[in-house]
Amino acid sequence: MGKLFDTGAQYPPANTIERLAKYYRGRKIFDGKQAEVLERASEILKDTPHAPQLEKLYIAVNVIDVLVTKVADLMFGESPIYESGLPDSSPQQQRLNSIVEENDLNQLGHELVIGAGIRGDAWIKTYYAVRQDLSEVPTDDDGNPLITAQPEPIIEAVDPAYVFPELSRGSRKRFKAVNIAWVEWVVDKDGEEIPYLNVERHVPGFIMYDRFKLAPKGVDTTYDAPIQTFTILERVPTGRDSDLVETGLTWIPVFHVPYKTVDDDWQGISGIEKLESVLAAINDRLVQIDYILWKHSDPTAYGPDLGEAETRFSGRYIPVDKNDVTPGYMTWDSQLDGAFKELDILLGLVFQMSETPQWLFGTTLSEDKGGTGTSHTDGVAIKARFMPILSKIKRIRVHVDRAFRDALWTAMALENYANEGVDGFEPYEPVYPTIAWRDGIPKDLKEEAEIMAIRLNGKPTLDVQSAIKRMDEVDDEKALEIMRRIEDDEKKANGFVDSSIFNTD
């Protein structure tokens, strides 16, 4: 079946434990477990001189979430335009628009970028099948579902923890096979849960399916994450009609979307792993602030003996007289200020290492760290101030662009192969599409129009259909419909006959 998964082998393979542990740690950091700290601190600080620092505390707790999500927001906040390079009426452009819309490609892309930022890797696969899950639909006497659905091209994300590629000989980047393998727990007739391994092995032209029974082996914590391991036992039937499916492709329909890569490894580098030590220090500061607030929220008081044991206006009361040594304790203001000051420095490092201006979130943590982002309002100045994160987005977009174009091209190829000779299907030649991306930052449209008018001496630079597509963020079909409505309105407005034609000399 394959070198990675066979009887007697370990799942997951030993050389993948470090990668899976990185995925686990990244997700835990992204989820953030400091919410309780924030709630307690917010309640205590709200009526104190430190109340303005609540915003800093909020950013510290949620810093990774907002940093990772902001990249996806800018990349897919404005929908990219997918073009076949052929006329809008061509079957290629029409099918391209349909595949993009039916698969919610922009939402998929937004989720992929966030996922890749957490783990470093994201994967998508393209296949031709029925989109709806009909497994729970009632069946007739022959076992056929009472409702049917037509197969269609599907582009969907795959959990990177289930993907195990095999490198081509002598290459660090090319894959000879991509295995998608996951554990399924099945309850037997005795109520016992039995683990099974489902394997979907992709090679050029074919998909091979297999299924094994597993035996739990242990938990590997070598890389600070609990990764459960199994021993692969005997092969069992998959339950499929055929365990070998021909795709008609000369390439593998599973595509890698890394966050950042280097030239000697296929694995992606996440937006979290380089920050783990700094994030650990931030977490320490949050715990310290929480402890200080908890320790001194109900401080011990001292003063004259009031003679009443039940008299209390603080945590504890120590009665003293004029001959006693006055007790005291260290004030906590300086400790809290120091903790916040170090938190400020650590957050600044996180933003710097993430190539993200602090003012992008509508605020800054201190006056000398990047300004507010509102001192310049013209388009060129704003774009210049966005340069660090725009460069980062362009780097990530290279990988998304390639994977999306490969997936769309594959979807068209699979559709034609699956419907070869089918009545009612009109075959077409698949084309490799292009994607017009937007940078997501605000534009000064008046400034752009004035520059174009000057450079081109007032000549038009955009046709009506393209203008509608870009301004309203719609596809070709909707843009044409809007144009038809505009033409109808013009005919109605200009359709009355001028009464002067009835005048005679």
Side-chain angles (χ1 to χ4, degrees), residues 111-166:
E111 295 170 351
L112 281 174
V113 172
I114 294 176
I118 296 171
R119 297 178 297 261
D121 299 304
W123 294 83
I124 56 176
K125 74 173 181 178
T126 305
Y127 59 101
Y128 192 79
V130 174
R131 188 180 299 273
Q132 296 78 14
D133 186 350
L134 305 179
S135 59
E136 296 299 319
V137 174
T139 58
D140 57 20
D141 295 336
D142 296 327
N144 300 316
L146 295 179
I147 63 171
T148 59
Q150 295 298 318
E152 57 183 303
I154 299 175
I155 302 173
E156 68 178 14
V158 183
D159 188 340
Y162 298 160
V163 181
F164 303 89
E166 298 178 27

Side-chain angles (χ1 to χ4, degrees), residues 38 41-42 45-61 286 289 293 332-344 347 363-366:
L38 176 64
S42 299
L45 283 177
K46 64 181 181 181
D47 296 322
T48 72
H50 294 281
Q53 294 172 314
L54 280 174
E55 190 170 34
K56 185 185 300 182
L57 200 61
Y58 175 81
I59 293 176
V61 170
L286 290 172
I289 291 170
L293 293 173
W332 56 274
D333 288 345
S334 60
Q335 299 177 39
L336 190 62
D337 286 337
F340 271 111
K341 186 174 293 184
E342 184 174 2
L343 183 62
D344 189 358
L347 286 171
T363 184
T364 53
L365 303 181
S366 59

Side-chain angles (χ1 to χ4, degrees), residues 182-188 192-198 211 214-217 228-230:
W182 69 98
V183 177
E184 178 185 8
W185 292 84
V186 179
V187 179
D188 64 9
E192 182 182 359
E193 284 190 317
I194 307 297
Y196 290 89
L197 180 66
N198 297 304
R211 183 176 171 89
L214 297 176
K217 183 178 180 181
Q228 187 171 10
T229 59
F230 301 86

Side-chain angles (χ1 to χ4, degrees), residues 428-448:
Y428 60 91
E429 184 67 26
V431 295
Y432 198 73
T434 59
I435 305 176
W437 295 93
R438 308 184 186 194
D439 51 29
I441 65 174
K443 295 181 180 180
D444 189 335
L445 300 180
K446 181 180 178 181
E447 179 186 11
E448 287 187 357

Side-chain angles (χ1 to χ4, degrees), residues 30-43:
F30 178 81
D31 289 342
K33 300 303 180 182
Q34 308 95 333
E36 294 180 3
V37 175
L38 176 64
E39 290 174 4
R40 289 193 297 267
S42 299
E43 184 65 25

